[in-house]
């Protein structure tokens, strides 16, 4: 009698031994000691590195790291946890960008609270998938409860609903999907004949602030709208959407036979931290019968602010709202959501599959979150926010956000009084846009000096700031989301920027003078 071996000729005993070894890495009741030990080692490495980090960045370049990472043979495992952690330190942890550091002042990345890190560890181990009830059970209801809580903070009524997403870009995409389908239904319902779908889509327009997020343009492209579907509305001196221009643009679209499918207002622009005039925009949208979406990815922290909630007045009149808890609720990436005032509109993201969420499940009252999401498999990211609210509470989160907003106001005043710098519009949230422009600096050197200062600062690793353009001119930006950052930290960073920019301006001027005519 012949034995049945593997197609490759490997002996069954060898395969069995390899599988037994591999099974030792699975997380289950038999490997709990290993689970505790391995995770403790990883946590210890992170804690040590955070404790050692005396700056937000090492200044490492892609050219320096790429050969090190490229030389690793992923087909030859190290076979040892400590060896793998040593390697991880060399290729990532040593040079990671540390958002917790008080001189990380660049993008909308927040330090994270410990209750959320606890949630991250728990949700990853259990590994629930939030697409269907039979893969998640209580996790589904917890996410729904957090959606209900957030909708209540916004001011939506009992018919509201929503779903967690990967971030603001996905939330904005889904909001525009819902708005597109609602607009299409309106156009088709009001037509004598049924127009072709491509013909209708070619007429749809989205209006958004000139200071709005690029994900609106990206969503329009992904949704198959016309290349010129997104029309930008000018902003005023404070970088908020001009409502007179919004009304005029809507009228012009109607006269041109176009259909305004959505107006996107912003509660917390990425660059300026400004909140568009939501009550006035809501009035205009209501009069025109237009879907109002509020991108509050950044400004959602105001929902729990003890002192600034009024800045979001009018948001309750939106048809949909984007929130990013991983920006101003101090949550790890990712933790975000899309909320809608009328939960029935989420049906536009629904597709029933017999193997997963058959239509009969709705009749049986089974709560499948995939019916609301454009994702299928989805992490239980809501767990992080749940534990944050249950351990810290929303008032504590709001107090942290208030603190960084107060700090931004102090930073703006300091910059405004400093002759070395020029500031843009004051922020309603926690960003400060400025540039190095001392008296006597040649205009043609201003842009170059600011670009050099940012690059040199990043190369040193001493601090990180962001860059942007304002009316075509290069500016620098402080994004303050760390309550541990102080005015002294900001003053130190400004001195470093001024030193780098001054050196560049003097060197460039000297080179120009020494250049033969």
């Amino acid at each position: 009698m012949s034995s049945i071996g593997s197609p490759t000729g490997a002996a069954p005993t060898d395969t069995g031994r390899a599988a037994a070894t591999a099974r030792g890495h699975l997380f289950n009741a038999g490997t709990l000691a290993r689970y505790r030990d391995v995770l403790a080692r990883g946590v210890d490495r992170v804690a040590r590195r955070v404790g050692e980090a005396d700056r937000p960045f090492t200044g490492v370049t892609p050219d320096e790291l790429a050969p090190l990472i490229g030389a690793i043979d992923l087909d030859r495992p190290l076979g040892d946890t400590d060896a793998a952690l040593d390697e991880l330190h060399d290729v990532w942890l040593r040079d990671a960008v540390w958002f917790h550091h008080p001189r990380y002042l660049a993008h909308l990345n927040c330090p994270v609270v410990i209750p959320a890190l606890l949630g991250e560890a728990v949700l990853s181990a259990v590994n629930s998938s939030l697409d269907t009830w039979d893969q998640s059970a209580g996790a589904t209801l917890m996410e729904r409860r957090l959606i209900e809580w957030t909708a209540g903070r916004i001011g939506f009524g009992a018919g509201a609903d929503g779903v967690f997403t990967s971030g603001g870009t996905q939330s904005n995409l889904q909001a525009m999907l819902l708005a597109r389908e609602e607009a299409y239904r309106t156009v088709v319902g009001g037509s004598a004949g049924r127009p072709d779908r491509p013909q209708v889509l070619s007429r749809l327009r989205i209006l958004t602030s000139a200071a709005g997020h690029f994900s609106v343009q990206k969503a329009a492209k992904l949704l198959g709208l016309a290349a010129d579907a997104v029309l930008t509305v000018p902003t005023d001196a404070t970088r908020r959407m001009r409502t007179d221009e919004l009304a005029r643009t809507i009228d012009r679209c109607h006269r041109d036979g176009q259909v305004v499918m959505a107006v996107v207002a912003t509660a917390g622009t990425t660059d300026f931290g400004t909140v568009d005039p939501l009550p006035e925009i809501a009035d205009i949208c209501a009069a025109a019968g237009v879907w109002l979406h509020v991108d509050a990815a950044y400004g959602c922290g105001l929902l729990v602010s003890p002192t600034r909630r009024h800045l979001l007045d009018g948001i309750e009149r939106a048809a949909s709202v984007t929130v990013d808890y991983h920006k101003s609720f101090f949550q790890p990436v990712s933790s975000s959501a899309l909320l809608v005032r009328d939960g029935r509109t989420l049906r536009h993201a629904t597709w029933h599959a017999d193997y997963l969420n058959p239509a009969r499940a709705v009749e049986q009252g089974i709560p499948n979150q995939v019916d609301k999401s454009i994702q299928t498999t989805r992490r239980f990211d809501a767990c992080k926010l749940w534990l944050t609210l249950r351990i810290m509470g929303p008032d504590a989160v709001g107090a942290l956000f208030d603190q960084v907003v107060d700090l931004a106001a102090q930073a703006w005043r300091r910059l405004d009084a400093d002759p070395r710098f020029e500031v843009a519009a004051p922020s309603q949230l926690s960003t400060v846009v400025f540039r190095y422009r001392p008296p006597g600096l040649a205009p043609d050197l201003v842009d170059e000096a600011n670009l050099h200062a940012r690059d040199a600062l990043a190369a040193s690793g001493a601090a990180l700031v962001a860059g942007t353009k304002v009316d075509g001119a290069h500016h620098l930006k402080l994004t303050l989301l760390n309550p541990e950052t102080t005015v002294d930290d900001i003053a130190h960073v400004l001195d470093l920027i001024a030193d780098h920019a001054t050196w560049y301006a003097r060197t460039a001027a000297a080179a120009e003078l020494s250049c033969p005519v």
Side-chain angles (χ1 to χ4, degrees):
M1 180 183 294
S2 63
S3 62
I4 300 175
S6 72
T8 60
T13 53
D14 292 341
T15 303
R17 280 195 293 268
T21 300
R23 286 198 301 273
H25 293 287
L26 292 173
F27 173 54
N28 53 45
T31 57
L32 297 182
R34 177 176 175 79
Y35 164 70
R36 290 188 177 101
D37 175 63
V38 169
L39 263 67
R41 290 170 188 252
V43 168
D44 182 65
R45 291 296 184 106
V46 173
R48 274 191 280 160
R49 185 65 190 94
V50 169
E52 296 166 353
D54 61 352
R55 55 188 57 204
F57 186 44
T58 63
V60 70
T61 66
D63 289 343
E64 292 172 304
L65 270 184
L68 180 63
I69 295 174
I72 293 173
D73 186 352
L74 296 176
D75 291 316
R76 296 177 64 85
L78 297 170
D80 177 77
T81 297
D82 286 333
L85 287 172
D86 288 342
E87 181 182 82
L88 189 68
H89 173 272
D90 293 342
V91 299
W92 179 42
L93 287 175
R94 180 186 61 204
D95 300 301
V97 179
W98 297 105
F99 303 148
H100 78 278
H101 196 281
R103 291 178 184 170
Y104 177 85
L105 310 172
H107 302 288
L108 281 167
N109 304 117
C110 60
V112 295
V113 293
I114 293 173
L117 292 178
L118 172 62
E120 187 73 62
V122 174
L123 74 92
S124 296
V126 180
N127 201 32
S128 296
S129 182
L130 266 289
D131 40 338
T132 58
W133 167 260
D134 63 358
Q135 300 177 71
S136 60
T140 285
L141 301 181
M142 290 167 68
E143 178 176 291
R144 289 190 168 201
R145 180 69 186 94
L146 284 170
I147 289 293
E148 180 184 31
W149 175 81
T150 305
R153 288 274 174 166
I154 290 171
F156 284 164
D161 204 348
V163 68
F164 270 62
T165 69
S166 65
T169 295
Q170 183 186 330
S171 293
N172 288 344
L173 170 62
Q174 185 165 352
M176 294 302 97
L177 167 68
L178 305 183
R180 185 194 70 181
E181 294 307 297
E182 288 292 297
Y184 176 76
R185 189 183 68 162
T186 299
V187 171
V188 171
S191 300
R194 188 175 182 86
D196 291 338
R197 186 174 177 87
Q199 181 187 35
V200 175
L201 296 187
S202 70
R203 296 168 53 202
L204 299 184
R205 297 294 180 267
I206 302 171
L207 310 188
T208 189
S209 161
H213 197 260
F214 75 90
S215 60
V216 176
Q217 282 82 357
K218 194 170 188 178
K221 182 177 181 179
L222 292 173
L223 292 173
L225 303 184
D228 58 348
V230 179
L231 305 177
T232 55
V233 180
T235 59
D236 60 20
T238 64
R239 305 292 169 173
R240 303 168 77 214
M241 184 189 289
R242 285 182 53 181
T243 53
D244 58 338
E245 289 288 348
L246 173 63
R248 276 195 284 269
T249 304
I250 291 175
D251 288 343
R252 185 170 65 251
C253 287
H254 289 168
R255 289 195 306 270
D256 293 343
Q258 298 165 345
V259 178
V260 179
M261 72 175 228
V263 168
V264 179
T266 309
T269 56
T270 302
D271 277 345
F272 301 103
T274 48
V275 179
D276 286 332
L278 302 180
E280 293 86 350
I281 293 173
D283 287 342
I284 293 170
C285 289
V290 171
W291 180 289
L292 170 59
H293 175 65
V294 176
D295 179 358
Y298 176 13
C300 65
L302 297 170
L303 293 173
V304 291
S305 166
T307 63
R308 294 179 170 86
R309 173 59 181 82
H310 63 279
L311 293 176
L312 291 180
D313 286 352
I315 195 172
E316 71 281 355
R317 298 173 61 190
S320 55
V321 175
T322 286
V323 296
D324 269 11
Y325 307 109
H326 62 225
K327 287 187 171 66
S328 46
F329 275 66
F330 306 97
Q331 300 294 291
V333 175
S334 59
S335 183
S336 307
L338 171 69
L339 288 299
V340 293
R341 182 155 45 91
D342 182 355
R344 293 172 299 180
T345 60
L346 289 171
R347 71 188 184 281
H348 297 305
T350 302
W351 190 272
H352 293 289
D354 289 337
Y355 78 94
L356 185 69
N357 61 327
R360 68 178 182 276
V362 178
E363 300 170 1
Q364 296 168 341
I366 298 174
N368 291 327
Q369 292 293 83
V370 72
D371 295 346
K372 307 175 183 180
S373 177
I374 60 176
Q375 293 176 264
T376 302
T377 303
R378 192 162 51 81
R379 302 173 82 238
F380 181 29
D381 285 317
C383 180
K384 296 175 286 191
L385 181 60
W386 182 276
L387 283 177
T388 298
L389 295 180
R390 301 310 297 145
I391 295 172
M392 292 176 58
D395 290 347
V397 175
L400 291 177
F401 190 59
D402 267 358
Q403 190 172 336
V404 295
V405 176
D406 289 339
L407 179 64
Q410 295 178 63
W412 192 92
R413 288 193 293 270
R414 178 178 284 264
L415 276 158
D416 191 41
D418 191 327
R420 299 174 297 178
F421 298 102
E422 174 183 83
V423 288
S427 171
Q428 293 170 281
L429 299 183
S430 63
T431 61
V432 185
V433 178
F434 67 101
R435 61 177 172 165
Y436 174 78
R437 193 177 186 181
L441 180 64
D444 60 333
L445 286 180
V446 174
D447 273 6
E448 289 84 351
N450 281 279
L451 289 170
H452 170 81
R454 185 192 176 205
D455 290 344
L457 187 66
S460 75
L464 289 172
V465 300
T468 190
K469 278 189 174 184
V470 180
D471 301 328
H474 287 285
H475 281 63
L476 304 176
K477 182 177 68 168
L478 307 179
T479 306
L480 306 174
L481 280 178
N482 191 343
E484 294 294 311
T485 300
T486 67
V487 173
D488 287 342
D489 286 315
I490 293 170
H492 179 70
V493 173
L494 294 179
D495 285 342
L496 292 175
I497 290 171
D499 288 346
H500 288 305
T502 299
W503 176 88
Y504 179 87
R506 288 176 177 170
T507 302
E512 186 174 332
L513 287 173
S514 63
C515 183
V517 178

